[in-house]
Amino acid sequence: MAPESTADMKTVQNQLMSASPYPSQTRLISGFVLVGFGGGAETQALLFAVFLVLYVVTVLGNLTMIVLITLDARLHSPMYFFLKNLSFVDLCYSSVIAPKAMTIFLSSSKVISFEGCATQFFFFSLLVTTEGFLLAVMAYDRFMAICSPLRYPVTMCHVACVRLVLGTYCGGCLNSIVQTSLTFQLPFCSSNRIDHFYCDVPPLLRLACANTALNELVMFGICGLIIVSTTLVVLISYGYITVTILRMHSGSGRHKVFSTCGSHMTAVSLFYGTVFVMYAQPGAVASMEQGKVVSIFYTLVIPMLNPLIYSLRNKDVKDALRRLGQRHSLVKEGRQ
């Protein structure tokens, strides 16, 4: 399908402007147009195919991790409880973005309502922030398991794990409420074209016809605080873990710990690196093209890679997959 003409875009924009006695440049916006990426019909079809593949792999990978950890009793430990929640968060926040993005690639209107945009942003902000906190909690869990193994069963009991996970969601919800309320109370009257494939703070701030200095300060401040605090938890935890590993006399023990912790550090580096580039530096708001590429990475690529990272480098997960496959084969043979 060819991209809409200039006349069509103007018609869509006029339809989304609410009736107002004020001049056109000050009329308030009741909806937005997600510009997405440039290019003709072939480019849009290619983007749709890429997003579809990434999203399907993300859904299958994270659902597999959730089902596997739920069904295999040997994976009923704090580490895999947190990993299951990480897979759930990855599944949810990629689902907040990908379906709508694929729709605009094939649609001529590319419209999203004001309420729909606010809702998408709220849940995306909640889930991404939750993932940041959850990765820090997972680092703390590894610290307790390796550095204080005798206290670990008491410190990381099931109730404590549930409270930690609930805390990550509460932190994500609080940040999302602040960011959403500050962003969507702004008057958007100069344009309704969001230069992105989903509703996010940087492109929305560019549409506001009011001073956004406070919004930018709050975004950089909160995101910077979250990234710095959670990164410190991860670095301190892994600092102690590294010292403990180096003191181990068993080579096999070292290898197992390095394998488990290496998977987590890979996931942490990918997530925090991309989020920092997008939100925790002043140039983020001004660089929309860079933002789109980075956004693809942390909205689809990272959620797709996390199950692969934790399964390919984790012997327990690979063994659980093997046992699940054998169980499925036995059930299939029994039916025959």
Side-chain angles (χ1 to χ4, degrees):
M1 187 179 295
E4 63 273 22
S5 64
T6 304
D8 292 337
M9 286 301 298
K10 288 182 178 179
T11 301
V12 172
Q13 291 176 4
N14 290 333
Q15 290 173 349
L16 293 175
M17 297 290 185
S18 58
S20 172
Y22 301 105
S24 60
Q25 64 268 27
T26 60
R27 286 182 294 179
L28 299 180
I29 289 172
S30 61
F32 298 98
V33 174
L34 292 168
V35 174
F37 296 88
E42 292 182 357
T43 302
Q44 299 301 310
L46 177 61
L47 286 168
F48 175 85
V50 170
F51 271 60
L52 180 62
V53 170
L54 291 175
Y55 182 58
V56 169
V57 175
T58 298
V59 171
L60 292 177
N62 285 288
L63 278 179
T64 300
M65 290 298 291
I66 292 170
V67 172
L68 188 66
I69 294 170
T70 301
L71 295 180
D72 197 304
R74 299 184 189 182
L75 299 182
H76 291 179
S77 65
M79 182 178 77
Y80 294 106
F81 174 74
F82 295 131
L83 181 56
K84 182 168 72 171
N85 279 276
L86 179 68
S87 293
F88 175 75
V89 171
D90 281 338
L91 177 63
C92 288
Y93 87 71
S94 59
S95 298
V96 168
I97 302 300
K100 182 62 181 178
M102 289 188 288
T103 300
I104 69 169
F105 292 147
L106 298 182
S107 173
S108 59
S109 65
K110 305 181 185 294
V111 173
I112 184 170
S113 68
F114 185 90
E115 295 78 10
C117 188
T119 302
Q120 184 188 57
F121 174 74
F122 174 83
F123 283 105
F124 176 70
S125 178
L126 185 157
L127 293 163
V128 170
T129 308
T130 299
E131 173 145 346
F133 286 127
L134 190 56
L135 288 170
V137 167
M138 292 173 72
Y140 175 73
D141 170 69
R142 290 299 81 207
F143 160 73
M144 291 301 302
I146 296 167
C147 300
S148 301
L150 298 179
R151 296 172 53 193
Y152 181 71
V154 177
T155 306
M156 302 302 292
C157 64
H158 182 69
V159 173
C161 292
V162 171
R163 287 175 179 172
L164 285 170
V165 169
L166 288 177
T168 65
Y169 281 101
C170 289
C173 188
L174 181 62
N175 176 54
S176 184
I177 290 172
V178 172
Q179 299 282 5
T180 305
S181 59
L182 283 176
T183 301
F184 286 90
Q185 73 176 358
L186 291 169
F188 300 103
C189 50
S190 58
S191 173
N192 67 337
R193 293 169 58 84
I194 298 177
D195 189 14
H196 218 303
F197 58 91
Y198 68 95
C199 296
D200 199 10
V201 173
L204 283 167
L205 293 184
R206 298 184 67 172
L207 302 183
C209 49
N211 190 339
T212 62
L214 175 63
N215 296 74
E216 293 183 28
L217 181 63
V218 170
M219 182 181 75
F220 297 142
I222 293 179
C223 292
L225 178 63
I226 291 172
I227 291 173
V228 169
S229 60
T230 52
T231 301
L232 280 175
V233 171
V234 172
L235 292 178
I236 293 171
S237 297
Y238 276 95
Y240 279 103
I241 288 171
T242 302
V243 172
T244 304
I245 291 173
L246 294 176
R247 290 176 180 173
M248 288 182 176
H249 299 292
S250 171
S252 59
R254 284 187 184 183
H255 177 75
K256 183 176 181 181
V257 173
F258 268 125
S259 178
T260 302
C261 295
S263 300
H264 185 247
M265 282 304 296
T266 303
V268 167
S269 301
L270 289 171
F271 180 80
Y272 284 133
T274 52
V275 170
F276 178 82
V277 168
M278 191 64 191
Y279 299 109
Q281 46 149 349
V285 176
S287 182
M288 288 298 103
E289 292 306 315
Q290 178 197 43
K292 292 179 189 179
V293 177
V294 175
S295 295
I296 293 176
F297 201 75
Y298 74 78
T299 57
L300 285 171
V301 176
I302 291 177
M304 178 194 71
L305 290 177
N306 277 345
L308 298 176
I309 291 170
Y310 283 103
S311 61
L312 294 178
R313 299 191 62 177
N314 190 306
K315 185 177 182 299
D316 293 337
V317 173
K318 288 189 285 187
D319 290 343
L321 279 169
R322 194 177 300 110
R323 287 192 295 270
L324 185 63
Q326 292 172 350
R327 188 186 308 174
H328 177 72
S329 299
L330 291 174
V331 171
K332 191 174 181 180
E333 290 175 3
R335 288 178 179 176
Q336 292 175 351

